[in-house]
């Protein structure tokens, strides 16, 4: 009689975080978003003069009759950065913080820092 959960071999029960495939896809997707945004931003910086008006126009330009393309694309890139950072730092805490209390504390502090960064970012960008 075969046991449902064997502790060895290819049918063993794998326990752990369980975030595998979805986080792999999320990391790659956010990395692509950040790469595309970085290239476009770099091209915009190279081909425009650097003064206050040009700098704010990089973030406030509109398309299709007032659609805030600059703010939305920058917000998307920043949210991708925050999620990318969360997945990476969470995995570091899960791998190297062996004490559950320490790991939970570090994860909570990381979430608080990332959320506060997103709120501050949004308040600055959307006030332009």
């Amino acid at each position: 009689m075969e046991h449902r959960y064997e502790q060895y071999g290819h049918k063993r029960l794998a326990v752990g975080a369980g975030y595998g495939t979805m986080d792999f896809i999320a990391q790659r997707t956010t990395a692509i978003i950040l790469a595309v945004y970085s290239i476009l931003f770099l091209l915009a910086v190279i081909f425009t003069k650097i003064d206050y008006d040009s700098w704010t126009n990089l973030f406030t330009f509109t398309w299709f009759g007032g659609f805030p393309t600059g703010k939305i694309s920058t917000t998307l890139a920043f949210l991708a950065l925050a999620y990318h950072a969360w997945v990476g730092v969470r995995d570091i805490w899960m791998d190297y913080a062996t004490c559950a209390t320490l790991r939970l504390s570090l994860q909570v502090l990381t979430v608080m820092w990332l959320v506060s960064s997103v709120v501050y970012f949004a308040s600055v960008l959307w006030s332009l």
Side-chain angles (χ1 to χ4, degrees):
M1 183 168 135
E2 184 178 328
H3 295 288
R4 184 169 178 206
Y5 300 111
E6 293 184 25
Q7 298 301 314
Y8 57 89
H10 69 281
K11 293 183 180 181
R12 70 187 169 102
L13 175 63
V15 296
Y19 300 111
T21 304
M22 290 307 296
D23 283 342
F24 178 84
I25 293 170
Q27 281 286 89
R28 283 12 178 221
T29 303
T30 56
I32 290 169
I33 291 169
L34 291 170
V36 169
Y37 181 82
S38 297
I39 290 168
L40 294 175
F41 183 76
L42 182 63
L43 289 173
V45 168
I46 289 172
F47 293 111
T48 60
K49 61 182 180 173
I50 303 298
D51 61 0
Y52 181 78
D53 292 330
S54 299
W55 188 251
T56 55
N57 286 338
L58 286 176
F59 301 106
T60 59
F61 73 93
T62 59
W63 229 5
F64 301 117
F67 185 73
T69 309
K71 289 182 180 182
I72 289 175
S73 61
T74 304
T75 301
L76 176 66
F78 197 82
L79 290 173
L81 176 65
Y83 190 73
H84 191 89
W86 164 244
V87 172
V89 172
R90 184 204 61 212
D91 288 349
I92 291 170
W93 297 147
M94 288 172 39
D95 288 344
Y96 297 108
T98 56
C99 174
T101 304
L102 175 63
R103 181 173 45 244
L104 179 62
S105 300
L106 290 171
Q107 287 178 342
V108 167
L109 289 172
T110 302
V111 168
M112 289 172 51
W113 176 69
L114 287 171
V115 168
S116 64
S117 296
V118 167
V119 169
Y120 180 71
F121 160 81
S123 69
V124 169
L125 179 68
W126 288 90
S127 68
L128 292 177

